[in-house]
Amino acid sequence: MLALRRRWLKRWWLITLALWASVGVVSIWSLRRTWQQLADYFTWAALRYGLAFNRLAAIGLGLCLGLTVALLVKQARFLLFGLTAAERQDLIKALNKRQT
């Protein structure tokens, strides 16, 4: 059962890496002028306006960061507390489906 969970987790990390390699790189590249300006003088207002005027890039970075943080939180919760009853049932269903 834990091997199946490990496989699911590996799949999610591959999806996250693919998202960073595609959407994340394009988003960071489209914000290159903002990064250059922030390198000269960093202010939170400059960061906020840089993201506000580049909405697609901000959405792309938010998606990448959100999925990464969600995976890290879920993995930390698993390491600290183990599987929940719902996750255990989902894994058992998937295992039974796989065996038949």
Side-chain angles (χ1 to χ4, degrees):
M1 186 162 59
L2 289 177
L4 182 61
R5 187 192 180 284
R6 193 175 302 123
R7 188 177 309 156
W8 281 1
L9 190 64
K10 184 186 280 188
R11 210 175 285 163
W12 272 109
W13 276 112
L14 288 174
I15 290 170
T16 303
L17 288 175
L19 192 67
W20 271 106
S22 59
V23 175
V25 169
V26 171
S27 297
I28 289 172
W29 182 255
S30 68
L31 286 170
R32 66 188 177 275
R33 288 189 193 111
T34 303
W35 299 126
Q36 188 177 26
Q37 186 179 26
L38 288 173
D40 292 338
Y41 47 92
F42 179 82
T43 62
W44 289 107
L47 179 64
R48 189 179 82 192
Y49 283 115
L51 293 174
F53 288 113
N54 296 306
R55 287 207 190 269
L56 286 177
I59 290 170
L61 282 179
L63 180 68
C64 293
L65 285 172
L67 187 57
T68 303
V69 169
L71 277 172
L72 289 172
V73 167
K74 186 168 182 149
Q75 184 62 21
R77 187 186 52 80
F78 170 72
L79 290 174
L80 292 174
F81 305 114
L83 288 172
T84 63
E87 287 175 334
R88 190 173 290 119
Q89 283 184 347
D90 289 342
L91 283 173
I92 290 171
K93 282 181 190 177
L95 197 59
N96 289 338
K97 189 176 183 181
R98 190 161 245 245
Q99 289 176 351
T100 58

